[in-house]
Amino acid sequence: YCQKGDYDQAIQNLDKSIQLNPKIGFIYKFRALAYLEKKQYNQALADCVKAEELGVSMFDEIYNLKGRVYAAKGQSDLAIQNFDLAIKLKPEEASYYYHRGMTLKEKGRNQEALSDFQKAAFRHFNKALEGMEACDHGKGNANTRNKALGEAEKATELDPSVAPYWHLLGYIHAQFQSDPLAAVMAEDALQNALKIKPGNTPSRLLFARLLMNRGADAMALDHLEEAVKKDPRLLVSPLA
């Protein structure tokens, strides 16, 4: 019900679960999330504390949730303390840096916030890269690719200044060959990569391939010539 946005029904169901077994910590965690979405912050915080007392296995999620509740209540210092704990327990989780960054930004600590957004972007990029590597090696599926796309989009949103993020986004879009809009999105992402780093040969080659696919041979040739200027060895190599 939480995924559907029906938080009242979710809370009712979780209430029943707690009545049946009041010592299962993760139920309180889920109810805390529902309370947070309903802006019932005191109830959300109480459930976080209860889940923590019961020793719920994923303490990093509880600390992150407490941080979000404190941030919503305007208690930014307590929020940051909890985000710090969440990151210490699970430093690879992008969302924890994002939430801490948002809180730091609201406090006017913009440089620290920017650093957290960059860290979050890098972790989203890594997740996207892992997903596409799995697909390229036959270990992924359409759902894996869709998740990778979402992660790559988050990386470029949080830090649009990094060319590899845009290249990966373009590469993923290019895999959706039956979708004409995906090809447009791929070209747009690759253009952004080339604006940031004009000497990015892989981005230029992929962009040239997409241009050829839609019959823009003259434009494709221009990009191939630029790529060859950067790396003359391409003259004896097939277009990847």
Side-chain angles (χ1 to χ4, degrees):
Y1 288 101
C2 280
Q3 292 181 343
K4 296 178 181 178
D6 190 350
Y7 301 112
D8 289 324
Q9 187 61 54
I11 290 170
Q12 289 180 25
N13 289 350
L14 292 165
D15 286 344
K16 293 176 182 177
S17 297
I18 288 171
Q19 288 175 1
L20 291 172
N21 195 334
K23 294 186 178 182
I24 299 179
F26 71 84
I27 300 177
Y28 292 92
K29 182 191 76 173
F30 288 129
R31 193 172 67 175
L33 181 59
Y35 279 135
L36 173 60
E37 295 295 340
K38 284 177 60 63
K39 299 183 180 181
Q40 295 178 237
Y41 302 131
N42 291 333
Q43 294 93 323
L45 186 58
D47 273 358
C48 285
V49 172
K50 187 64 176 180
E52 193 174 356
E53 290 174 353
L54 291 170
V56 66
S57 60
M58 291 176 280
F59 281 103
D60 57 295
E61 294 185 9
I62 292 298
Y63 290 134
N64 179 61
L65 191 52
K66 284 174 67 178
R68 290 175 62 191
V69 174
Y70 280 126
K73 286 167 63 70
Q75 296 174 271
S76 55
D77 289 335
L78 286 172
I80 292 169
Q81 288 176 21
N82 279 276
F83 292 137
D84 288 345
L85 291 169
I87 289 169
K88 185 176 181 180
L89 289 173
K90 194 174 181 181
E92 70 274 17
E93 177 54 47
S95 64
Y96 300 166
Y97 294 93
Y98 170 76
H99 290 304
R100 188 175 69 179
M102 291 298 292
T103 306
L104 289 166
K105 185 178 180 180
E106 290 178 2
K107 284 178 66 67
R109 294 162 62 176
N110 293 328
Q111 286 301 315
E112 293 171 87
L114 177 61
S115 176
D116 268 355
F117 293 148
Q118 290 172 336
K119 290 173 183 176
F122 180 69
R123 283 155 178 80
H124 283 302
F125 169 75
N126 280 338
K127 285 185 179 180
L129 195 59
E130 289 172 4
M132 290 312 297
E133 286 177 346
C135 290
D136 290 345
H137 289 86
K139 297 180 181 178
N141 52 34
N143 187 49
T144 308
R145 188 174 59 183
N146 287 333
K147 286 183 178 180
L149 178 61
E151 295 290 347
E153 288 175 337
K154 290 176 182 176
T156 57
E157 288 169 6
L158 287 169
D159 190 356
S161 67
V162 181
Y165 297 175
W166 288 108
H167 175 84
L168 181 59
L169 180 60
Y171 174 76
I172 297 172
H173 274 303
Q175 306 309 303
F176 295 84
Q177 298 178 2
S178 61
D179 184 356
L181 181 59
V184 175
M185 299 294 287
E187 288 187 20
D188 183 64
L190 292 167
Q191 283 181 314
N192 284 330
L194 291 169
K195 285 177 184 176
I196 297 166
K197 191 175 180 182
N200 188 335
T201 300
S203 293
R204 200 167 289 282
L205 289 175
L206 181 54
F207 190 36
R209 174 190 285 180
L210 293 171
L211 289 170
M212 285 190 292
N213 286 346
R214 65 177 174 88
D217 295 342
M219 292 176 62
L221 182 59
D222 289 341
H223 284 281
L224 289 173
E225 288 176 346
E226 285 295 323
V228 169
K229 288 178 184 177
K230 181 70 177 178
D231 187 355
R233 292 172 299 176
L234 293 172
L235 286 171
V236 293
S237 300
L239 180 59

